[in-house]
Amino acid sequence: RVRRRTLLQHSSLLELLELPSLMDACVRSNLYEEALSVAAFANTLERRHGVAPDDPNEKNAAVVVGRVVSQIRSRQSDLRRHLLHRLKGHVTMPQCLEIVTALRRLNSIDLERQQESANLEQMHAAMESRLQVDFLEARDTWLESAAVSVSGADTAVDSRSKASNNSAAGQSARSSEHLLDAIERYRTRVFEIATQFLAIFRAETSSSMASKVSTASKSVSSSPSALLSMWTTRRIHSFLQMLSLELTKMDDSAALRDALEACVFFATSMGRLGADFTAQLPPLFEPKMLALVIQHWTGGVNALQETLKVCRDAGVASPLVSNAASGSADTSSSSTASMMTSGRQQHRPNETPPPPRQLLTLPPLARLVNSLLTGLNELRRCLFPGIFGKLRSALNEMVIEIQQILQTNERAVLTPGMRGEAKELREVAARMKVVFEDIVKPYMHGALETALGDYESAKEYLYKEEKTSDNAATIEEGVAGEEKEDGQKLTDENVVTDDEEGTK
């Protein structure tokens, strides 16, 4: 008789036993509504029979139902993991809302099993808070994949650059492009995650605050904003760490400026969420900009020191002087002085004046000034007020180092028994010291102050340099005039001598 009744209920029993497999198939097929319906039906079965699957005191039928319910609970955990895994990838706002809705229904199903508990509201608030944390953790995985892809791209670029001898400019351009892509990708993803979080959880929070809930529920209902604030702070800190690492690979001020503009746009975009981090950008960019400028200056100082050493060891003075400017000064010294004066009057106060023409006779000092101006040209692309004092200190240290180099060079060439063009080397060494102190040093300070926008200080420095240059031009003009007079006297004496010889 029992077997006959069991046979009559065969189809129903089969459906009951297939519920775990059915839920598993629904989870694999992304049929969340059907899977949640099966999970809710498991609660109904549990309420009707109210048994534990391993209770030996219950009947066999109740034990079978209990085991079926236990398997459904296991599939319910699989559904939760599957939903959270989908949040770790790219999902649109409707898809995100669908997933969160399914997770909330899972929480409601779990809460339905706790009907006899007296703290349902606190449990619901705790589940909602846990859902928010799970949401941000899952979306973090998708966000961090952007940084991983950028680091992988940088590694690929490094390997390609090692395999092929590409130029440094090409490598810098590719590094800049990858950094800009990383900043833009990070910006869009952070803003998208924050927007999704606010759209999903703030609306729920507003409705819950409008209703009458307990004090614990109210304290948790205000947590989404605080949770989002903590998450945003952590993500910005992670972005700044990634940015500081990428900036060390850049050696171009133009790329640095592009990165700064992208970061400022990112920071202002986050300002709409109350997370503007513009003030944290200068401490990252200022040291790199300062290093780029000082790199050019250091290169010029090292080149000057190396040139003096090579010429001193070889006993040759011709690479240290040039006769191009002196020859033109001998032919038209007055026109040169007038051109120098008119050239100074033509340049605007906010523009760096041209270098003094006297440097044409001393190529090492001319190259030194060129390195200084090259470093200042980097500042035109990306200028930070925070490095003004450091630039002035660096220039002062550079001037002291150059003075020591010139002093050491003069002592070395004055050593007795020096071979080669010892006389010319000594004259050039003394002349370079005078030109540097009177012309180059004021010009370097004036050029720096002009680049930094302090035109009054620049005018004072450049006035000293102009006055010294004018005195030098006047001296050259006088020397050239005396040479002409001496030449004329010699010509007249030769003519008188010829006349006397003809008379005899």
Side-chain angles (χ1 to χ4, degrees):
R1 184 177 178 181
V2 174
R3 293 176 181 175
R4 189 181 300 111
R5 291 179 58 186
T6 303
L7 184 60
L8 293 176
Q9 301 294 331
H10 177 267
S11 59
S12 299
L13 293 174
L14 187 61
E15 292 178 357
L16 176 65
L17 296 176
E18 289 180 349
L19 284 179
S21 301
L22 177 62
M23 186 172 180
D24 184 67
C26 292
V27 171
R28 295 177 182 273
S29 302
N30 296 335
L31 300 176
Y32 304 134
E33 292 293 333
E34 289 76 4
L36 291 171
S37 300
V38 174
F41 181 69
N43 283 350
T44 303
L45 289 177
E46 190 174 19
R47 285 195 306 271
R48 287 179 179 177
H49 299 276
V51 295
D54 298 327
D55 191 351
N57 297 325
E58 298 294 338
K59 298 180 180 180
N60 293 333
V63 172
V64 171
V65 173
R67 291 180 177 177
V68 169
V69 171
S70 177
Q71 293 178 4
I72 293 176
R73 296 284 180 254
S74 177
R75 302 301 190 278
Q76 186 174 334
S77 301
D78 295 339
L79 174 60
R80 185 182 297 276
R81 287 191 294 268
H82 178 76
L83 292 173
L84 293 176
H85 180 73
R86 282 202 60 189
L87 289 176
K88 296 179 180 180
H90 176 67
V91 290
T92 60
M93 185 65 190
Q95 294 173 343
C96 189
L97 186 59
E98 178 186 6
I99 294 171
V100 174
T101 302
L103 289 172
R104 279 176 171 161
R105 286 192 58 186
L106 281 176
N107 289 340
S108 65
I109 292 173
D110 292 337
L111 195 62
E112 185 180 359
R113 298 168 56 191
Q114 308 293 334
Q115 289 289 347
E116 298 179 357
S117 178
N119 298 322
L120 292 179
E121 292 181 353
Q122 294 183 3
M123 294 179 60
H124 177 268
M127 288 181 176
E128 185 67 16
S129 179
R130 182 60 192 173
L131 176 59
Q132 295 170 8
V133 174
D134 291 340
F135 176 85
L136 292 178
E137 288 180 352
R139 302 304 285 159
D140 264 348
T141 304
W142 176 61
L143 178 60
E144 291 173 355
S145 64
V148 172
S149 63
V150 171
S151 61
D154 290 341
T155 304
V157 169
D158 293 340
S159 62
R160 287 197 301 267
S161 62
K162 291 180 181 179
S164 60
N165 296 326
N166 295 329
S167 62
Q171 297 178 11
S172 177
R174 286 191 296 270
S175 178
S176 175
E177 291 177 0
H178 288 303
L179 178 58
L180 293 178
D181 293 341
I183 295 172
E184 180 63 20
R185 190 179 301 112
Y186 208 94
R187 181 190 69 83
T188 54
R189 293 193 178 189
V190 169
F191 197 77
E192 181 178 353
I193 293 172
T195 304
Q196 292 173 350
F197 184 87
L198 291 176
I200 294 174
F201 294 102
R202 177 174 287 182
E204 181 68 19
T205 300
S206 301
S207 61
S208 64
M209 289 181 66
S211 61
K212 293 182 179 180
V213 292
S214 62
T215 305
S217 176
K218 288 181 181 179
S219 63
V220 177
S221 65
S222 61
S223 63
S225 298
L227 186 61
L228 180 63
S229 177
M230 291 187 292
W231 176 83
T232 306
T233 302
R234 183 168 60 87
R235 297 319 309 178
I236 291 175
H237 180 69
S238 176
F239 169 75
L240 293 177
Q241 288 182 337
M242 182 270 292
L243 179 63
S244 63
L245 179 62
E246 294 295 328
L247 288 179
T248 58
K249 306 176 184 178
M250 303 180 66
D251 54 358
D252 184 15
S253 60
L256 194 68
R257 177 196 59 197
D258 295 338
L260 176 62
E261 292 178 352
C263 291
V264 169
F265 181 65
F266 180 17
T268 53
S269 298
M270 294 302 296
R272 289 180 286 178
L273 300 175
D276 191 347
F277 59 95
T278 307
Q280 301 183 24
L281 295 177
L284 298 179
F285 284 87
E286 288 177 356
K288 186 61 180 179
M289 190 67 238
L290 182 63
L292 291 177
V293 176
I294 295 180
Q295 180 181 1
H296 292 285
W297 295 359
T298 305
V301 174
N302 294 336
L304 173 65
Q305 185 177 14
E306 185 67 21
T307 302
L308 295 177
K309 183 178 182 301
V310 170
C311 293
R312 186 172 62 246
D313 294 341
V316 179
S318 56
L320 301 178
V321 294
S322 176
N323 296 325
S326 61
S328 62
D330 292 339
T331 57
S332 58
S333 59
S334 60
S335 61
T336 301
S338 62
M339 288 174 60
M340 290 167 56
T341 305
S342 62
R344 292 193 190 98
Q345 293 175 354
Q346 288 176 1
H347 83 268
R348 299 178 181 177
N350 58 347
E351 293 181 356
T352 303
R357 292 181 61 87
Q358 287 87 342
L359 296 180
L360 294 175
T361 61
L362 298 171
L365 292 182
R367 288 191 289 268
L368 176 66
V369 173
N370 285 338
S371 65
L372 172 77
L373 297 179
T374 302
L376 296 181
N377 286 334
E378 299 288 346
L379 292 176
R380 299 176 59 184
R381 298 174 177 174
C382 189
L383 181 61
F384 296 96
I387 63 175
F388 285 5
K390 297 179 181 178
L391 286 174
R392 293 188 177 99
S393 300
L395 182 59
N396 292 332
E397 295 175 359
M398 175 182 172
V399 169
I400 295 174
E401 184 179 0
I402 295 172
Q403 290 173 342
Q404 293 176 353
I405 292 173
L406 296 178
Q407 182 68 27
T408 303
N409 179 65
E410 186 180 24
R411 290 177 180 176
V413 298
L414 290 176
T415 304
M418 184 176 184
R419 63 180 182 178
E421 303 174 355
K423 180 180 179 181
E424 290 79 1
L425 287 173
R426 290 164 184 165
E427 292 177 355
V428 172
R431 185 181 175 189
M432 289 181 70
K433 281 187 62 179
V434 174
V435 172
F436 178 78
E437 290 293 335
D438 296 341
I439 298 177
V440 177
K441 180 180 175 181
Y443 178 79
M444 294 171 69
H445 285 286
L448 176 61
E449 296 300 332
T450 303
L452 300 183
D454 190 357
Y455 303 124
E456 294 298 329
S457 300
K459 186 177 180 181
E460 294 178 1
Y461 284 114
L462 295 176
Y463 174 75
K464 296 178 183 178
E465 179 267 324
E466 289 176 5
K467 186 176 180 180
T468 306
S469 300
D470 292 340
N471 293 336
T474 304
I475 294 174
E476 290 179 359
E477 184 178 358
V479 172
E482 292 177 358
E483 291 178 354
K484 286 184 178 180
E485 291 178 0
D486 294 339
Q488 185 67 28
K489 289 180 181 179
L490 291 174
T491 303
D492 294 340
E493 292 178 357
N494 292 333
V495 171
V496 172
T497 303
D498 294 338
D499 292 342
E500 291 178 352
E501 290 178 357
T503 302
K504 291 180 179 181

